[in-house]
Amino acid sequence: MNPAAFLKSLKKQKFYQGQLVHVEHIPPRPPEYASLEKPLARSLVEAVKAGGADRLYRHQAEAINAARRGQDVILATGTASGKTLAYNLPVLEQILLDPHSRALYLFPTKALAQDQLRSLKELTGRLKALRYPRQTHIRFGVYDGDTPPRSRTRLRREAHVILTNPDMLHVGILPNHRLWADFFRHLKFVVVDEAHVYRGVFGSHVAVVLRRLNRLCRLYGSAPQFVCCSATIANPGEHMARLTGRQPVVVDQDTAPQATRLFALWNPPFIDPAKTTRRSPNTEAALLFAEMVRHGVRNITFTRARVTAELILRYARRSLEQTDPPLAARIASYRAGYLPEQRRELERRLFTGDLLGVTATSALELGVDVGDLDATVSVGYPGTIASLWQQAGRAGRGNSGSLAVLIGLDNPLDQYFMRHPDQLFGRPHEHALIDPDNVYILAQHLPCAAHERPLTPDDEALFGEGFAEAMARLEEQGILDYRPELNQWFYRGRDYPAERVNIRSIGSRPIVLVDKSQGYRKLEEMDEASAFSRVHPGAVYMHQGESYLVTDLDLSTGQAVLRPAEVDYYTTPHELSEISIVRSLRHRTFKTTTVYWGVVRATRQVVGYRRKQQFSEANLGDFPLDLPATTFETRAVWWDVPADWATRLARRGWDFLGGLHAVEHAAIGLLPLFAMCDRWDIGGLSTPLHPDTGLPQIFIYDGYPGGVGITEQGFALITELWQATLEAVKECPCEEGCPACIYSPKCGNQNEPLDKQAAVWILEALLAGAGRG
């Protein structure tokens, strides 16, 4: 395709109203090749060549060299840069040299494990076809919840490589380590793919699971190397060190070839004179999707929700049926809920060109080979720059040019990027943040570790700073029993503690989500604190891209009852927060303020929710809720504001409290610019007089007990956060505030009071006091 010509054609369409606000030209990049420090086995070289790879990219060679030297390594490069080969080759070489060697591959999803199984089958199939004498027959397989019992036994005994996910490692493998004794004894490699996905609560859990794995390997006399692969992030070495407890060699210069790419920013037009409301991004996506198909541009249009993907498909199909009926049959939707054979058929049709376009949820974002596509459309910023580039990387995998389009949503972060494209294309990628020392998370995993093998004081070095406090709590609660004659802690229960720990949430009390239409079949679990905002009565909940309506939340039984629902709206909760300061851990003093980071006690209450139409974003009504408040300790960044600023703002006719409130909302919206998180992962509070300080105060806190490092990053980059927040608010074309700058979708005070002018004045004064005015 010719991306520039296609964009030019868009400007001639009736629906075009100046939506194209920026086009970034990303020039082609030639490949850089390198040789290994010592040659691979001839059989491996020939197997790789038979797959079409004559030479290794420099980053592949560097990663393989490090792995062959016995070093831990993280390879952080872009989509389609050959990361899979960089870990498969040293693993397979080790197995060929020593057939007793074993490797454990970890993937964040079952689907990705299956896709990588196919890649491993192809490589080993080519190896087997060479018919080298006395060559080891390499055995491998996926070991997860879908694996039949008979296959599990065979894999444990025979497989050289086990492909699984952290959930199965946590609940199925580590607690049964005696069955895996021979595997652990000979474990040489642990491969952690898509390592950037392990962030926040999930990543913090996985970090402790990997420490439990290391502890058991030590018991069986092995010390496996870790090889991590990641999308491009700002802190790959630090992230792997926190995730695995190992200091790695970092390889982060992508030397794979890249064709020319145009990256377009597409901002929906305003539909009201006050410039507070834009046309639905889903309408824009349907128009773009249909136009690409008419021009023969093979594309994937990414959305966050399955219902949105289906709606965009429906609108585009209706448009094509009116003008180009044969094309209407060459588009489809792709989502996580499909059966494997349905997914494979769609992938085949995309690969062969039979399908011209699909609307998709993030199921297609990670590592699925669908051939050479021409374009991608991302309906809204997907939450991280790494995810955005992974989506864009689905197109242009060959030598032809490609197009990526980001459609801006009406929120502070998306609109900030629409007005500041340099921040999207020129700045370092975000920091992946986890906190393996989180006491709440450790208190869930240490009973699991003690159940696997009694704990000793030496384990503090492995589990980190939170170990002592977590152990004290567990002793006090009677969960662990200390035996002084052995200097060990034993798990006192007779049950299976890992079964009670959901590694994708943080609360100790799980809420089980069940599908009423399927005989109350279990869908998933989440912690109680998250349940109030995500599965309250009346909420629309997405599970694997499918829409469900919550009919009941029963706290006494720990169950949320859902039913499938084809609705054309989504829901957002309204929350109220209170904050009390426990202690400051760090502070930074500026001319007009002091910024703190430390421990706070947060009380949150969901007081209602709003229904919003999927395509028009119209408000369909607010509904009250009567749910209990939840209180937990977490981490927060906060700063005081001089009390006399209230008088100075009043003289100008501006509302001081409205200004504080607006700064809080906008800063929460912009913090994901610096930390890999979602605005729903954080909360806030603004007040003209906080009882703990006697001063006006603004708080931003981690929305999870104990915190996961989000606000610590905000504290470190506070002036950058203020600057970005000021630009987002000041440059927004609305007069009095809107969803793109100072409104919050979850504000329990109905976004009142808010004062845009006061917020700009406060932010400018804070920056002037910090020497950045």
Side-chain angles (χ1 to χ4, degrees):
M1 73 169 294
N2 184 329
F6 176 73
L7 289 177
K8 188 175 181 180
S9 74
L10 287 178
K11 295 181 179 181
K12 299 176 183 178
Q13 302 302 316
K14 291 181 180 179
F15 62 76
Y16 186 74
Q17 298 177 40
Q19 293 100 313
L20 200 59
V21 295
H22 179 80
V23 178
E24 186 79 9
H25 178 263
I26 300 168
R29 182 180 64 209
E32 293 181 41
Y33 299 104
S35 299
L36 295 175
E37 292 172 344
K38 56 181 180 180
L40 280 170
R42 184 180 171 188
S43 58
L44 276 176
V45 172
E46 292 187 18
V48 171
K49 284 185 176 180
D54 291 331
R55 291 181 285 176
L56 294 173
Y57 302 129
R58 180 164 56 81
H59 64 264
Q60 290 176 316
E62 290 176 0
I64 294 169
N65 285 335
R68 294 170 95 195
R69 289 193 297 265
Q71 296 172 298
D72 301 299
V73 61
I74 182 165
L75 178 58
T77 53
T79 304
S81 59
K83 291 191 285 285
T84 301
L85 194 62
Y87 61 73
N88 272 337
L89 287 181
V91 167
L92 295 182
E93 180 183 51
Q94 175 63 37
I95 294 168
L96 292 176
L97 289 171
D98 175 9
H100 292 103
S101 297
R102 298 293 184 260
L104 182 69
Y105 286 12
L106 292 174
F107 303 97
T109 65
K110 291 181 183 179
L112 191 54
Q114 291 290 344
D115 287 320
Q116 293 303 314
L117 176 70
R118 182 173 58 184
S119 174
L120 192 57
K121 279 181 179 176
E122 290 172 357
L123 179 56
T124 56
R126 294 194 297 269
L127 195 61
K128 187 177 179 181
L130 294 171
R131 298 182 180 276
Y132 273 77
R134 295 184 301 278
Q135 182 170 275
T136 301
H137 174 52
I138 300 173
R139 298 178 176 87
F140 51 87
V142 171
Y143 191 100
D144 61 25
D146 298 332
T147 307
R150 185 177 299 176
S151 298
R152 293 187 185 194
T153 302
R154 179 181 54 79
L155 286 170
R156 278 198 306 266
R157 291 176 179 171
E158 301 177 8
H160 294 97
V161 182
I162 293 287
L163 296 84
T164 188
N165 53 67
D167 308 78
M168 178 55 81
L169 178 62
H170 154 66
V171 80
I173 296 176
L174 297 181
N176 299 298
H177 62 89
R178 291 171 185 83
L179 298 175
W180 292 82
D182 193 61
F183 184 88
F184 284 136
R185 191 172 292 116
H186 296 100
L187 186 60
K188 303 295 184 183
F189 283 99
V190 177
V191 172
V192 183
D193 201 10
E194 304 292 345
H196 63 284
V197 171
Y198 301 116
R199 61 183 188 270
V201 170
F202 182 39
S204 301
H205 272 291
V206 172
V208 185
V209 170
L210 293 179
R211 282 155 176 77
R212 286 166 50 200
L213 170 64
N214 275 326
R215 185 168 175 264
L216 291 178
C217 287
R218 195 180 301 162
L219 172 67
Y220 290 104
S222 65
Q225 290 172 245
F226 279 80
V227 178
C228 293
C229 291
S230 169
T232 306
I233 54 177
N235 61 332
E238 176 194 39
H239 181 54
M240 180 173 169
R242 288 190 173 188
L243 187 62
T244 66
R246 307 284 186 85
Q247 290 294 335
V249 172
V250 177
V251 179
D252 58 359
Q253 294 299 311
D254 193 336
T255 56
Q258 180 178 278
T260 299
R261 175 179 286 134
L262 294 187
F263 208 126
L265 302 187
W266 185 274
N267 210 11
F270 287 109
I271 59 174
D272 65 329
K275 295 186 176 181
T276 61
T277 307
R278 294 181 181 272
R279 193 159 68 196
S280 166
N282 300 325
T283 300
E284 300 294 306
L287 293 167
L288 285 173
F289 184 68
E291 203 58 34
M292 285 182 176
V293 172
R294 289 189 184 98
H295 282 75
V297 177
R298 293 200 300 147
N299 77 94
I300 298 176
T301 293
F302 287 102
T303 71
R304 284 196 170 189
R306 198 275 304 178
V307 65
T308 310
E310 299 286 1
L311 281 170
I312 292 171
L313 177 70
R314 189 187 308 164
Y315 277 60
R317 183 167 282 157
R318 190 180 302 165
S319 173
L320 291 169
E321 285 170 347
Q322 294 172 357
T323 59
D324 306 271
L327 295 178
R330 298 183 66 187
I331 59 176
S333 67
Y334 182 111
R335 52 184 169 80
Y338 286 147
L339 296 171
E341 52 269 27
Q342 294 173 312
R343 292 181 64 216
R344 296 290 173 264
E345 175 62 13
L346 281 172
E347 289 163 18
R348 184 197 64 77
R349 292 182 66 195
L350 262 178
F351 197 92
T352 60
D354 179 38
L355 277 179
L356 283 174
V358 293
T359 59
T361 57
S362 58
L364 262 178
E365 183 181 305
L366 300 177
V368 182
D369 190 1
V370 289
D372 296 333
L373 300 178
D374 302 312
T376 62
V377 178
S378 299
V379 186
Y381 180 64
T384 69
I385 291 175
S387 290
L388 180 65
W389 283 108
Q390 279 201 308
Q391 291 182 0
R394 308 318 301 167
R397 290 187 157 202
N399 296 318
S400 60
S402 65
L403 172 67
V405 181
L406 171 62
I407 300 176
L409 303 188
D410 218 4
N411 64 48
L413 190 57
D414 282 46
Q415 290 304 312
Y416 180 81
F417 285 136
M418 292 293 125
R419 291 191 290 271
H420 294 271
D422 58 304
Q423 291 296 306
L424 190 62
F425 299 110
R427 67 186 301 274
H429 293 72
E430 311 97 330
H431 290 71
L433 302 171
I434 60 173
D435 183 10
D437 297 326
N438 182 303
V439 173
Y440 291 85
I441 289 175
L442 282 173
Q444 294 179 69
H445 284 275
L446 290 176
C448 304
H451 177 263
E452 292 152 7
R453 179 191 180 195
L455 289 159
T456 74
D458 292 340
D459 288 317
E460 183 170 9
L462 180 66
F463 289 108
E465 294 178 5
F467 179 82
E469 184 179 346
M471 291 294 284
R473 291 185 185 183
L474 293 167
E475 267 196 89
E476 187 178 317
Q477 294 166 3
I479 296 171
L480 295 183
D481 180 34
Y482 178 65
R483 299 182 187 175
E485 70 278 10
L486 299 173
N487 199 21
Q488 292 179 335
W489 287 268
F490 288 76
Y491 178 62
R492 295 187 65 176
R494 296 182 178 274
D495 59 349
Y496 190 52
E499 285 186 321
R500 297 197 307 271
V501 180
N502 179 358
I503 66 171
R504 295 176 189 259
S505 70
I506 204 165
S508 57
R509 183 175 184 233
I511 298 293
V512 180
L513 280 59
V514 297
D515 180 356
K516 185 178 181 180
S517 70
Q518 297 289 323
Y520 294 88
R521 177 178 64 91
K522 178 180 175 180
L523 297 173
E524 59 180 278
E525 290 183 1
M526 68 175 59
D527 60 277
E528 186 177 274
S530 298
F532 291 129
S533 58
R534 298 175 63 192
V535 289
H536 57 75
V540 174
Y541 185 76
M542 304 301 299
H543 172 73
Q544 293 188 339
E546 301 284 352
S547 297
Y548 290 84
L549 186 67
V550 181
T551 59
D552 185 43
L553 175 60
D554 190 334
L555 299 177
S556 62
T557 60
Q559 194 173 79
V561 180
L562 293 75
R563 63 173 175 82
E566 291 291 332
V567 294
D568 63 352
Y569 64 86
Y570 63 96
T571 55
T572 58
H574 294 154
E575 290 184 357
L576 293 176
S577 296
E578 292 182 6
I579 295 285
S580 60
I581 299 169
V582 177
R583 62 183 178 276
S584 168
L585 299 175
R586 298 180 208 159
H587 70 275
R588 298 173 65 184
T589 302
F590 298 108
K591 186 177 179 181
T592 55
T593 187
T594 300
V595 183
Y596 301 89
W597 179 74
V599 183
V600 299
R601 188 169 291 108
T603 299
R604 295 200 309 196
Q605 185 173 21
V606 176
V607 295
Y609 68 97
R610 173 172 291 180
R611 290 180 181 172
K612 297 193 76 174
Q613 194 117 37
Q614 279 287 357
F615 261 72
S616 68
E617 300 295 316
N619 180 1
L620 301 181
D622 294 307
F623 302 85
L625 289 170
D626 183 18
L627 295 173
T630 58
T631 300
F632 55 94
E633 281 194 4
T634 185
R635 302 293 188 268
V637 58
W638 68 93
W639 60 92
D640 43 55
V641 176
D644 66 330
W645 286 7
T647 305
R648 296 167 70 177
L649 286 168
R651 291 196 198 107
R652 292 169 169 80
W654 297 336
D655 184 344
F656 180 54
L657 177 55
L660 295 176
H661 197 189
V663 171
E664 173 215 329
H665 282 183
I668 287 172
L670 270 294
L671 184 52
L673 182 66
F674 304 98
M676 291 179 83
C677 70
D678 189 278
R679 71 183 297 166
W680 299 94
D681 295 334
I682 45 184
L685 174 74
S686 51
T687 173
L689 182 67
H690 194 273
D692 292 341
T693 65
L695 292 169
Q697 215 83 51
I698 295 175
F699 292 84
I700 301 176
Y701 64 89
D702 276 64
Y704 302 100
V708 289
I710 297 169
T711 55
E712 186 176 10
Q713 185 70 9
F715 171 80
L717 299 173
I718 191 65
T719 56
E720 289 88 342
L721 175 60
W722 288 341
Q723 184 66 47
T725 305
L726 172 63
E727 291 167 355
V729 176
K730 192 173 184 178
E731 295 171 5
C732 186
C734 71
E735 292 183 11
E736 296 184 355
C738 69
C741 58
I742 61 174
Y743 286 11
S744 169
K746 60 177 183 176
C747 179
N749 292 306
Q750 306 295 323
N751 284 299
E752 292 180 358
L754 291 173
D755 191 315
K756 180 177 178 178
Q757 285 74 25
V760 169
W761 190 95
I762 290 169
L763 287 163
E764 287 178 338
L766 287 170
L767 285 163
R772 295 191 57 158

